[in-house]
Amino acid sequence: MTAGATRRETRRPSRGRWARPALRAASGLLVIALAGGALAGAAQLGAAGTGPAAADEVEVAPTPVTLQCPGPVLLPQRAERGDAAFDPAPVAPEVAVDALTIAGPGAGALAVLPLGGTAAVDDLAAGGGTVHQDGVDGPLVVRAQPQDVAPLVAATGTSLVTDGDARGLSAASCRAPSSDDWLVGGATSVGSTATLVLTNPGLTAAQVDLEIFGPNGPVEPTTTQHVVAPGATKTVDLGGAAAEQAALVLHVTSTGGLVSAHVQDTAVRGFTPAGTDLVVPGAAPARRQVVTGVSTPTTEIGAAAAPVLRLLAPGDTGTTATVTLLGPDGPVDLPGADEVPLAPGEVTDVPLGGLPSDSYTVVVDADVPVVAAASTSRTGDPGELDDVPRIERAWSPATALGTHGAVALPRGVRGRVVVGAVGEDDVERGEATAVLRVLGRDGQVLSEHDVSVDAGTTGGWDVADLATDAAGLELEPTGGAGLAWAVVLTVVQPDGRLVAVLDPVPAVGEVTAVVVREDARPARG
């Protein structure tokens, strides 16, 4: 089949399968009430009008989409390791940013800019396509201009380190900056380092408040403040702010400006690398959390490289969380891990060892809001100077169900789409449907697939089996049970596999008009 053609296929990976899609969702309307008297400058108090005022529909232009990409991973210094003969960073990271706009009515021009800069280091004309920027030496901003509607855009920042303490594939979807983020992952115990990276792509300074939670509760001081200048990045050594914490959860809030936040999580066992990844923001506290993209090889119960689920009830009330693990054929038994008591404010790690090799989705239900994430590992071979095998780790954040979004695929990296389906009241009730589009380097659809996954199961498909030379993916839920998705990345090298998990960049709402209604009441002076 020629590139750019559209096809529909039927395949069954376990109980996940391709099925029939529905149409795209329509755009929304926003109602704004304006105080007419105030516009006229009146200074009086009157009774409300007896009937609704006439409403006018006003066209509004879609706004540009701005995504902040992570910069290169931070490498340890020789002095930090206490051995002048040992170099903890023998190779430089291979850093790249891949950005994609999907061809269509919203595909305006795209530019990749240095943080705080105005001159693009790469750009793309309107109409859709991809940009690949390698040799990146600092954080980059991807800005996509709209046309008739908001663009559908995605970007991924990647740092590949093949040797040394920071060995690993550290990749993350570039994100819109935020004022409120939860980061679930990282540690500062012996052998672990964690660094919070705060980036402000805006024009005003951001005042950041940081709350840190550990296994024994909130870390004192309970809140610290940091100022991030416009167009700048600030790093916070969590080993200093929260020393000797075996498990971390961070709550980052900002005022005055929006920031992009992530944690670089690095571990070593003696002088042997034990994984580096980026912990990115996950879903806000909620009574149900869903973590997908939990892709693991076969592990034994109690194995050091077994997957781990991290949980926190951040409020003043504890709870017992119900954990359900969804495999390709339905829920998987979790002896001793299906009911997890959570003390308020205390971070809890739940081992998930004993699983067969496959991709899974974790569902966490509780009667108070909680946050969640999962970590998976790959065990490789020892290096020339290592006494034990090298380990690679990847964090999967909790994601919102039903996300219509896209993922930009890094060049030269294998990808696997993982889709979990969750029933609303009963996790096994219903079926989730979606349309999956595989995108080429021109932003056009290479292949289109109707996806259906039985509720209570997880489906997975290698991108290479869907289309050749794919540059990105778009998944649009079309109905049924809740659906969560992610892309698992893999790089194979002589000493073992390096992995990372990408969550989708959400599509921007397609609001093209607002309804403006004059307030019939006189203004208050």
Side-chain angles (χ1 to χ4, degrees):
M1 183 167 293
T2 58
T6 299
R7 71 172 182 268
R8 302 214 175 235
E9 296 187 353
T10 301
R11 298 183 182 180
R12 176 181 289 270
S14 298
R15 290 177 63 190
R17 63 187 183 280
W18 309 115
R20 180 175 227 166
L23 299 175
R24 285 183 180 267
S27 60
L29 292 177
L30 174 66
V31 177
I32 302 176
L34 298 178
L39 293 176
Q44 54 183 311
L45 180 64
T50 58
D56 294 321
E57 188 175 89
V58 179
E59 293 294 324
V60 293
T63 58
V65 174
T66 298
L67 303 176
Q68 177 64 55
C69 299
V73 294
L74 305 173
L75 298 178
Q77 301 301 310
R78 188 186 299 265
E80 297 174 1
R81 296 296 261 127
D83 186 344
F86 176 76
D87 186 357
V91 298
E94 301 171 22
V95 187
V97 167
D98 291 270
L100 166 75
T101 52
I102 298 174
L110 180 143
V112 179
L113 305 103
L115 180 66
T118 57
V121 297
D122 208 340
D123 55 21
L124 186 70
T130 56
V131 168
H132 174 77
Q133 184 71 30
D134 54 16
V136 175
D137 58 4
L140 294 178
V141 177
V142 173
R143 185 163 293 126
Q145 299 295 331
Q147 292 203 114
D148 298 333
V149 297
L152 184 54
V153 58
T156 298
T158 308
S159 287
L160 174 64
V161 181
T162 58
D163 200 5
D165 285 7
R167 172 186 177 271
L169 176 62
S170 301
S173 292
C174 305
R175 322 174 61 87
S178 171
S179 63
D180 194 329
D181 283 325
W182 287 86
L183 298 123
V184 181
T188 58
S189 51
V190 175
S192 298
T193 59
T195 303
L196 173 64
V197 182
L198 302 169
T199 304
N200 178 5
L203 301 176
T204 59
Q207 177 80 38
V208 176
D209 289 342
L210 172 62
E211 296 177 89
I212 305 176
F213 300 84
N216 297 317
V219 176
E220 297 291 341
T222 55
T223 302
T224 60
Q225 295 184 333
H226 307 270
V227 176
V228 186
T233 291
K234 181 170 186 176
T235 60
V236 179
D237 177 14
L238 297 176
E244 298 303 321
Q245 301 293 322
L248 291 174
V249 171
L250 277 60
H251 185 204
V252 177
T253 57
S254 66
T255 57
L258 304 179
V259 297
S260 176
H262 71 265
V263 171
Q264 180 178 321
D265 175 35
T266 299
V268 295
R269 296 189 296 169
F271 290 98
T272 302
T276 294
D277 197 24
L278 305 182
V279 178
V280 301
R287 295 183 178 181
R288 167 169 282 183
Q289 295 288 4
V290 179
V291 182
T292 195
V294 182
S295 180
T296 178
T298 300
T299 60
E300 300 295 331
I301 295 176
V308 173
L309 173 67
R310 182 163 297 180
L311 299 173
L312 168 70
D316 297 327
T317 305
T319 186
T320 295
T322 300
V323 178
T324 307
L325 187 66
L326 308 181
D329 298 311
V332 177
D333 289 337
L334 290 171
D338 53 346
E339 298 287 335
V340 181
L342 300 177
E346 297 183 3
V347 181
T348 299
D349 277 355
V350 184
L352 301 178
L355 297 174
S357 176
D358 221 311
S359 297
Y360 299 88
T361 300
V362 182
V363 181
V364 180
D365 289 300
D367 56 9
V368 300
V370 298
V371 294
S375 173
T376 56
S377 301
R378 301 291 189 276
T379 301
D381 297 324
E384 292 183 3
L385 303 178
D386 297 329
D387 296 327
V388 294
R390 297 181 167 191
I391 293 177
E392 163 69 329
R393 294 176 301 122
W395 283 99
S396 300
T399 57
L401 291 174
T403 299
H404 172 204
V407 166
L409 299 172
R411 295 191 183 184
V413 179
R414 299 180 184 179
R416 180 174 176 83
V417 188
V418 178
V419 179
V422 183
E424 182 175 357
D425 298 319
D426 180 349
V427 295
E428 295 185 76
R429 180 177 300 171
E431 180 182 68
T433 61
V435 176
L436 175 64
R437 302 179 182 96
V438 185
L439 307 164
R441 304 207 179 280
D442 58 358
Q444 300 286 342
V445 176
L446 292 176
S447 64
E448 187 172 82
H449 309 270
D450 305 338
V451 176
S452 176
V453 181
D454 292 335
T457 70
T458 300
W461 300 274
D462 290 334
V463 175
D465 292 338
L466 306 179
T468 58
D469 201 27
L473 302 166
E474 176 194 2
L475 189 139
E476 182 177 6
T478 54
L483 182 150
W485 69 289
V487 176
V488 179
L489 303 177
T490 303
V491 171
V492 179
Q493 63 172 33
D495 61 353
R497 293 173 180 263
L498 306 180
V499 292
V501 179
L502 299 178
D503 56 341
V505 178
V508 177
E510 299 176 355
V511 177
T512 59
V514 296
V515 174
V516 180
R517 180 178 292 119
E518 181 180 0
D519 192 336
R521 298 170 295 178
R524 299 183 181 186

